[in-house]
Every structure is written in structure tokens, then in C-alpha cells.
Amino acid sequence: YAMLSIQDNALFYIALGISLLVGASAAVLSVFASRRIGLRLEKLTQANENLAAGNYATRLPADIPDELGELARHFNTMAEQIGDQIRRIGEARNRFQGVFDGSPVALAVVLRTDSDFLLIDANEAWERQFEQPRLSSCGKTLTDLGVFATPEDAATLRRLIEGEITPAQDVRMFNRSHHELRCAIDSRPLELANGIHHIVAMQDVSEQRRNAEALATLNSELEARVAARTMELAERNETLAQTLNQLK
């Protein structure tokens, strides 16, 4: 009996030792797993912050088949989609900027204010036409830049841009040398985050209008001369006819 009691006690202590060892191992594994999860969560948080800061190449390790691994895979897919969209937007912006800068027609991006238009951007043709440097002109109103001949012309431009009248009426404008320009206006709205902007084409048609007016004047003079000559010939024909009648 005493022997059995000693064996039972030994088995008890062995079982207790095994239990304590398993418990300690579980506690160690639990702490280790918690730290691993914490580190992975920190990496996920940092990746989100990098993505928000514009680092669209951010990716997370996603080879672990658990909930955090699935979350990492979703994050990588989202980051790739956002990066693709940003690249497409950048490519479209570059194409637009290339067409905008390379246009032979003076182009400006303006923002409507209470009583004027704020110059947001302009192309090289606009710089040459108005003799205004783009960098120092942007951020100023068209009135401050002195491009309007009269307040009425400023009002006409506003009505043209906002579509209140058809673009058949020229707007008189001035360049920096105070040389008067007659500009044909065309405008397209552009909706951006900070409001409705307008892309405005301001084509200098001064020479075309002068040529058209000169041609119209020549036509009028020619018509007057033809009419006078026709009348003179009619009078001469009548005189000749009377002379022939007298000779008979």
C-alpha cells in the first residue's frame, strides 16, 4: 500500500509538472503570437499611412492564411487599383497639359469671382499675345492684368463665358503694350474640386477683322463705282440713241 501511495504521488507530481510545462508553453506561445499579431497590425497601420501619403507602391506580406493575411491581400488589391487610377489620371493630365501648352491659340484657365475672372493658368500663346508672363500673372484677375479695354468688354466676356450670348461678338482687349486686340472668345466649363473653372480660348482676330473690314470697304467702293459707271453708260447710250434719231 505504501508503495502504491508513493507511485500515486510520483504520478501526481509528474502530471502537475507536465501541466505546468504545458501552461507555461501556452503562455509563452500566446505572448509570442500576440506580439506577432501586434507587429502585423503595426505594419498594416503604417501601410495605410503610407498609402494616404501618396506612396501607392506600398504592399504588405500576404502569404499567411489567416484573417490578417486576407486583410493584407485586400489592402494590396486596393493599393494596386488606387495606383492604377492615379497613373491614368496623371497620364490624362499630361496629355491635357501637352495640348494646352502646345495650342497656337491663346488659352487660359479662369475661375469666376464675384465680378471678375481669376487667372489660374495660361499657355505660351497667351503669354505671347498679351505680353504677360504666366508665372507672375496667375493668381491675378483679368482686370488687374489690364486686358480689358472697357468695363463693357469685361461684362461681354463674362456673358460669353457663361453662355448668356453666342460667341459671335468680339471682345476688345489690350496686351501689355496697350495695343488693342479684337479677340474671338470660346469657352468650356471645367469642374474641379474647388469650383467650376473655364478653359477660355482668346483668339486674336484683329488682322482678320481688319482684312474683312477692308474687303467690305473695297466691295462697297467697287459697287458704287460699278453703279456710277452703269449710270454713266446708260446716259451715254441714251445720248447716242437721240443723236442717231436726229441723223435719221
Side-chain angles (χ1 to χ4, degrees):
Y1 178 79
M3 196 61 142
L4 288 175
S5 177
I6 292 172
Q7 289 178 351
D8 289 342
N9 288 336
L11 289 174
F12 171 77
Y13 285 115
I14 290 172
L16 179 62
I18 292 173
S19 177
L20 291 174
L21 179 61
V22 169
S25 299
V28 170
L29 290 174
S30 176
V31 170
F32 179 72
S34 297
R35 286 182 178 177
R36 286 192 61 190
I37 292 174
L39 289 174
R40 292 170 68 189
L41 287 174
E42 288 180 5
K43 289 182 179 180
L44 181 59
T45 301
Q46 184 62 47
N48 276 318
E49 292 176 355
N50 291 340
L51 188 64
N55 185 1
Y56 305 112
T58 300
R59 297 293 185 273
L60 286 170
D63 54 347
I64 301 177
D66 59 6
E67 289 81 359
L68 287 178
E70 184 67 20
L71 186 60
R73 286 188 286 275
H74 284 309
F75 173 87
N76 291 343
T77 300
M78 179 187 68
E80 184 175 358
Q81 292 173 347
I82 292 175
D84 288 341
Q85 291 177 357
I86 294 299
R87 281 191 294 272
R88 287 195 294 269
I89 292 172
E91 290 170 357
R93 182 176 61 246
N94 291 336
R95 287 195 298 271
F96 167 79
Q97 196 68 43
V99 173
F100 182 81
D101 290 335
S103 173
V105 176
L107 297 177
V109 178
V110 299
L111 176 64
R112 180 82 165 87
T113 64
D114 292 336
S115 59
D116 209 328
F117 288 97
L118 189 69
L119 183 67
I120 304 300
D121 197 4
N123 66 354
E124 293 180 2
W126 189 93
E127 286 185 291
R128 292 191 300 269
Q129 179 171 302
F130 290 97
E131 301 175 354
Q132 302 269 12
R134 171 167 43 181
L135 292 178
S136 61
S137 298
C138 291
K140 297 179 181 178
T141 66
L142 296 183
T143 298
D144 291 338
L145 293 171
V147 301
F148 293 123
T150 64
E152 289 74 18
D153 289 308
T156 300
L157 180 66
R158 179 188 60 77
R159 295 173 64 196
L160 284 168
I161 288 178
E162 296 182 352
E164 297 178 7
I165 56 178
T166 58
Q169 184 175 350
D170 296 342
V171 175
R172 293 189 307 147
M173 309 182 89
F174 284 124
N175 61 16
R176 196 169 188 177
S177 300
H178 209 68
H179 179 71
E180 184 175 314
L181 309 173
R182 295 175 64 177
C183 296
I185 303 297
D186 195 8
S187 174
R188 294 292 184 274
L190 181 66
E191 186 171 356
L192 299 178
N194 58 340
I196 301 295
H197 294 59
H198 294 272
I199 303 175
V200 186
M202 305 177 182
Q203 185 174 7
D204 181 13
V205 293
S206 304
E207 185 174 355
Q208 294 93 312
R209 296 295 185 260
R210 285 193 296 268
N211 291 338
E213 290 171 359
L215 182 59
T217 300
L218 288 174
N219 285 335
S220 297
E221 292 176 355
L222 182 59
E223 289 175 358
R225 290 177 182 178
V226 169
R229 185 61 174 167
T230 300
M231 183 178 296
E232 181 182 350
L233 290 175
E235 291 175 353
R236 289 185 179 183
N237 285 336
E238 185 178 355
T239 301
L240 180 59
Q242 290 176 357
T243 302
L244 290 173
N245 287 333
Q246 291 175 1
L247 292 174
K248 292 177 180 180

